[in-house]
């Protein structure tokens, strides 16, 4: 099974690297600069589960990509989605399965429109990783999971075949029969955390210590959960209890990656993670005043960032 990993940054580099390490047939679709880095230093992973250097990993660039692949693993940021689609489109054949690991749901509509719904699986990952100054992939915490599945539920021959490969990667792969529910729950948690920490410019513990902080955090979670419920994906009891606990842990240093990007003056996924949730809430007539304020704040940041770049 030939697998094309789009990008070799923190997410694509980690999961693609672990699959390559396991012996899977992996090719990384990268830009010229990253291709040069990988050719000279290899793909280096620093991880609590074990470091590895994969010398001269197989790469291809968009200009020379022609062959079809069985699987496309897509892990770009939402604001890079259009460019990513243009780069990997030649790899998509009649039987190619695309597994996107982006947050939210908006990317599914974009991929469906370009490649057809039948080719697009649901997918999500849980990992904290980054590229360091040496352009090595650094896993920051032990968690590392990747789930995927048919969006209509149940299983299929292609999901079972892909899982057979993925489970060898030593990163807690799962073939889910309820992937859309899991994607919505991740979106609820991520949007709650991102909206809260970016709006308040502080981690969870600092927000909790402020007057009204607990009510604010749980109110944001309630708004996101109500939007998911209106779409038919109400968060389950265990999920809600777990996330509520995470958002009410005193002294917690937890922030969203969007918060960290904002602090560094980087692009943020305002429309994909927060704005799309607001739009779905509006369509379902679900009031989301806290979420809407966070979205306005992020769009203001984007406007100021664009002027300064």
């Amino acid at each position: 099974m030939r697998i094309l990993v789009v990008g070799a940054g923190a997410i694509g580099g980690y999961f693609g690297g672990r699959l390559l390490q396991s012996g899977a047939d992996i090719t990384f679709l990268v830009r010229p600069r990253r291709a040069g880095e990988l050719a000279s230093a290899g793909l280096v992973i620093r991880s609590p589960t074990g470091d590895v250097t994969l010398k001269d990993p197989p790469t291809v660039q968009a200009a020379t990509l022609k062959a079809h692949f069985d699987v496309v693993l897509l892990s770009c940021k939402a604001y890079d989605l259009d460019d990513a689609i243009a780069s990997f489109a030649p790899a998509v054949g009649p039987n190619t399965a695309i597994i996107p690991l982006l947050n939210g749901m908006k990317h599914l509509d974009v991929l469906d429109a370009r490649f057809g719904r039948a080719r697009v699986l649901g997918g999500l990952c849980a990992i904290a990783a980054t590229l360091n100054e040496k352009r090595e992939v650094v896993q920051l915490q032990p968690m590392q999971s990747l789930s995927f599945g048919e969006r209509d539920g149940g299983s299929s021959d292609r999901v079972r075949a892909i899982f057979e490969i993925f489970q060898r990667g030593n990163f807690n792969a799962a073939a889910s029969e309820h992937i859309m529910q899991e994607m919505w729950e991740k979106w609820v948690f991520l949007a709650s955390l991102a909206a809260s920490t970016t709006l308040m410019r502080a981690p969870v513990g600092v927000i909790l210590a402020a007057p009204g902080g607990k009510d604010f955090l749980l109110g944001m979670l309630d708004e996101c959960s109500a939007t998911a419920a209106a779409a038919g994906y109400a968060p389950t009891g265990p999920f809600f209890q777990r996330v509520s606990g995470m958002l009410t842990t005193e002294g917690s240093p937890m922030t969203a990656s969007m918060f960290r990007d904002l602090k560094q003056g980087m692009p943020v996924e305002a429309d994909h993670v927060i704005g799309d949730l607001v739009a779905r809430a509006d369509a379902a007539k679900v009031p989301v005043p806290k979420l809407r304020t966070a979205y306005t704040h992020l769009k203001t940041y984007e406007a100021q960032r664009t002027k300064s770049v």
Side-chain angles (χ1 to χ4, degrees):
M1 179 178 291
R2 302 184 67 226
I3 301 172
L4 182 70
V5 178
V6 181
I11 305 301
Y14 186 82
F15 289 111
R18 290 306 191 194
L19 287 170
L20 183 62
Q21 184 184 9
S22 74
D25 186 349
I26 301 295
T27 300
F28 293 95
L29 174 59
V30 293
R31 295 187 175 97
R33 175 192 172 190
R34 188 58 170 153
E37 293 169 351
L38 296 175
S40 60
L43 176 58
V44 181
I45 298 175
R46 306 293 183 193
S47 166
T49 62
D51 296 348
V52 64
T53 297
L54 301 163
K55 295 185 180 299
D56 201 19
T59 63
V60 66
Q61 296 178 43
T64 57
L65 180 61
K66 294 181 175 60
H68 291 167
F69 283 74
D70 300 300
V71 177
V72 173
L73 188 63
L74 177 61
S75 62
C76 66
K77 290 287 190 179
Y79 43 75
D80 289 330
L81 181 58
D82 290 341
D83 287 343
I85 287 174
S87 71
F88 75 76
V92 179
N95 299 312
T96 300
I98 301 170
I99 302 177
L101 301 179
L102 288 76
N103 296 310
M105 297 290 162
K106 194 172 184 179
H107 61 281
L108 296 179
D109 297 333
V110 176
L111 291 167
D112 287 353
R114 177 63 178 82
F115 300 107
R117 192 180 190 279
R119 291 189 179 93
V120 184
L121 298 174
L124 61 91
C125 66
I127 188 170
T130 188
L131 289 183
N132 64 15
E133 66 281 356
K134 296 180 181 179
R135 305 288 286 173
E136 300 169 336
V137 177
V138 180
Q139 184 184 1
L140 303 173
Q141 299 175 14
M143 66 175 182
Q144 47 171 7
S145 65
L146 191 160
S147 301
F148 66 100
E150 299 289 350
R151 286 155 59 190
D152 292 333
S155 188
S156 66
D157 289 342
R158 65 175 176 175
V159 164
R160 286 187 288 270
I162 297 168
F163 176 67
E164 181 67 24
I165 303 296
F166 278 19
Q167 68 177 340
R168 303 172 194 162
N170 194 31
F171 50 67
N172 300 321
S176 173
E177 296 188 3
H178 310 283
I179 193 65
M180 293 300 292
Q181 178 70 32
E182 294 173 14
M183 289 175 66
W184 268 98
E185 288 184 347
K186 182 184 179 183
W187 192 11
V188 165
F189 169 62
L190 177 64
S192 301
L193 181 64
S196 298
T197 57
T198 57
L199 182 58
M200 294 300 174
R201 299 291 182 101
V204 166
V206 175
I207 300 172
L208 277 172
K214 181 177 180 180
D215 289 341
F216 171 79
L217 286 162
L218 293 180
M220 191 73 79
L221 176 60
D222 285 342
E223 290 184 7
C224 296
S225 297
T227 305
Y233 296 96
T236 58
F239 164 84
F240 198 85
Q241 292 170 9
R242 183 173 70 255
V243 171
S244 296
M246 293 170 70
L247 292 177
T248 55
T249 300
E250 293 185 6
S252 171
M254 184 170 58
T255 63
S257 59
M258 188 183 295
F259 167 83
R260 298 188 291 274
D261 289 341
L262 183 147
K263 290 275 286 183
Q264 295 173 15
M266 302 290 287
V268 295
E269 297 178 306
D271 291 321
H272 197 80
V273 174
I274 307 298
D276 190 37
L277 204 57
V278 171
R280 291 170 192 259
D282 287 347
K285 301 189 184 309
V286 175
V288 288
K290 293 180 177 64
L291 195 64
R292 191 182 305 280
T293 301
Y295 181 56
T296 300
H297 173 67
L298 288 168
K299 294 304 289 184
T300 302
Y301 162 78
E302 286 186 337
Q304 291 179 314
R305 179 182 177 276
T306 301
K307 288 181 180 179
S308 63
V309 172

